[in-house]
Amino acid sequence: MKKDAENSIMKRSPVVAVMGHIDHGKSTLLDYIRKTNVVAGEAGGITQRISAYEVVHKTPDNKEEKITFLDTPGHEAFGTMRSCGTNVADIAVLVVSAEDGVKKQTLETLKCILESKIPYIVAINKIDKPAANIEKTKNSLVENGIYIEGYGGDIPYILISAKIGTGIPELMDMILLVAELADLKGDIKKPAEGAVIEAHMDKQKGITAPLIIKDGHLKTGMFVVAGDAIAPTRSLENFLEKKVNDISFSSPVRISGFDRLPKVGLDFKSFKTKSEAEKYAAEHHEKSKKH
């Protein structure tokens, strides 16, 4: 039995939050990665309705490795989603413009990353711009307590242009290296758990929520509980909005049919029976009344 349990523990791919000041090129970076690294022919099929997607990156030694990217809003108004992004993520990429250096919003994002205690990589973006000053940007990072490699610290940094793709393969390699050091694992045999990354009312499908699975395995016929919101997994959709029968860790999945709107950032658990799911939801409800 023990051997069986050990066999169910597997390496899992990293979940990455790309964060930073709204004008420093975070969205451009995510768009470039999506267009160039999602399986050919499928990238165009991704709508912006699900704020996470999987990419496949070919490493220098020709291995294909998966990375899941979260598209967390960068604006201050989305503070909860941004902090949720780092709770859900294994690794953060902090995007800083080579034209502007560190800004107030960069520091707010950094605080969020440090509180979540996840490793992070600095992506110095816009290096192709005439006003780019890489040395000044590096000094601005150090002055704000971001001690990058070669400047008194061990925070890895990569020079990139999200617009034309310079440095993006190196950034992906660095993400995979940081993930390897973090030794991310998941248990394929346990019921899935993870976090809610969004929730909304869909006219056709009812209350719908994209989730990130951080551990375990989810298949149709199970029940998902986030807080006191319950959904039967009659249908599972992957990030390409294709129906799947089962899905596992580090993958985004969309579930429809929640009985109430789950809160963004909440952890979810899954159960094989409705009675187990209802019991867990009732216990959560009682706990939340006491707090």
Side-chain angles (χ1 to χ4, degrees):
M1 187 66 203
K2 191 176 177 218
K3 191 172 188 296
D4 191 44
E6 282 169 4
N7 287 346
S8 68
I9 308 289
M10 297 165 70
K11 175 187 164 185
R12 68 174 179 84
S13 52
V15 177
V16 179
V18 176
M19 305 167 82
H21 189 282
I22 195 163
D23 299 324
H24 284 189
K26 183 180 80 73
S27 296
T28 313
L29 174 58
L30 282 162
D31 283 346
Y32 186 91
I33 289 169
R34 195 179 74 227
K35 283 171 187 153
T36 53
N37 289 272
V38 171
V39 180
E42 292 185 329
I46 305 176
T47 69
Q48 289 304 69
R49 287 196 303 174
I50 188 158
S51 50
Y53 48 85
E54 289 177 355
V55 304
V56 175
H57 173 63
K58 198 169 258 190
T59 63
D61 56 358
N62 264 343
K63 276 190 192 155
E64 290 196 335
E65 300 274 3
K66 260 202 297 194
I67 304 172
T68 295
F69 282 93
L70 295 172
D71 192 350
T72 55
H75 194 272
E76 271 144 299
F78 294 99
T80 52
M81 180 61 191
R82 212 166 57 216
S83 59
C84 149
T86 49
N87 295 339
V88 179
D90 302 303
I91 298 166
V93 172
L94 180 63
V95 181
V96 181
S97 161
E99 291 181 304
D100 301 335
V102 173
K103 292 283 191 189
K104 178 172 171 268
Q105 207 179 62
T106 315
L107 293 173
E108 284 169 13
T109 306
L110 176 68
K111 183 171 177 273
C112 193
I113 294 168
L114 294 175
E115 279 170 6
S116 72
K117 297 184 168 62
I118 61 170
Y120 71 102
I121 299 160
V122 175
I124 299 176
N125 189 26
K126 304 192 182 187
I127 58 165
D128 57 310
K129 293 288 183 78
N133 188 329
I134 293 165
E135 208 49 45
K136 193 178 172 190
T137 303
K138 288 178 180 177
N139 288 327
S140 141
L141 287 163
V142 173
E143 281 159 19
N144 285 284
I146 304 170
Y147 297 106
I148 53 175
E149 287 174 344
Y151 285 73
D154 58 0
I155 305 298
Y157 72 92
I158 303 287
L159 303 177
I160 67 163
S161 163
K163 198 173 178 188
I164 58 174
T166 311
I168 308 293
E170 289 77 8
L171 176 61
M172 306 285 265
D173 289 338
M174 182 57 76
I175 287 169
L176 291 169
L177 177 63
V178 171
E180 203 175 305
L181 294 171
D183 194 25
L184 305 171
K185 294 275 201 297
D187 184 347
I188 196 79
K189 288 190 177 167
K190 69 187 275 193
E193 52 189 61
V196 177
I197 52 170
E198 242 187 293
H200 63 276
M201 185 69 184
D202 184 296
K203 281 177 188 164
Q204 274 86 36
K205 297 175 181 175
I207 298 171
T208 297
L211 317 169
I212 286 280
I213 300 172
K214 291 303 290 283
D215 199 3
H217 185 257
L218 189 64
K219 54 186 177 185
T220 49
M222 292 173 79
F223 293 83
V224 165
V225 185
D228 53 1
I230 301 179
T233 62
R234 284 191 205 101
S235 115
L236 303 174
E237 283 181 19
N238 67 12
F239 75 101
L240 293 165
E241 296 182 359
K242 288 182 177 169
K243 282 195 162 66
V244 290
N245 291 323
D246 57 84
I247 198 158
S248 189
F249 33 75
S250 301
S251 291
V253 60
R254 190 177 10 201
I255 308 274
S256 301
F258 278 92
D259 59 355
R260 64 191 69 200
L261 204 67
K263 277 190 189 156
V264 169
L266 268 186
D267 289 340
F268 80 83
K269 285 188 180 294
S270 61
F271 300 89
K272 287 178 180 169
T273 66
K274 191 177 184 183
S275 58
E276 286 175 299
E278 286 172 342
K279 184 173 180 269
Y280 177 80
E283 283 166 4
H284 180 274
H285 187 65
E286 282 307 308
K287 269 188 210 161
S288 59
K289 277 203 303 195
K290 285 174 190 168
H291 287 299

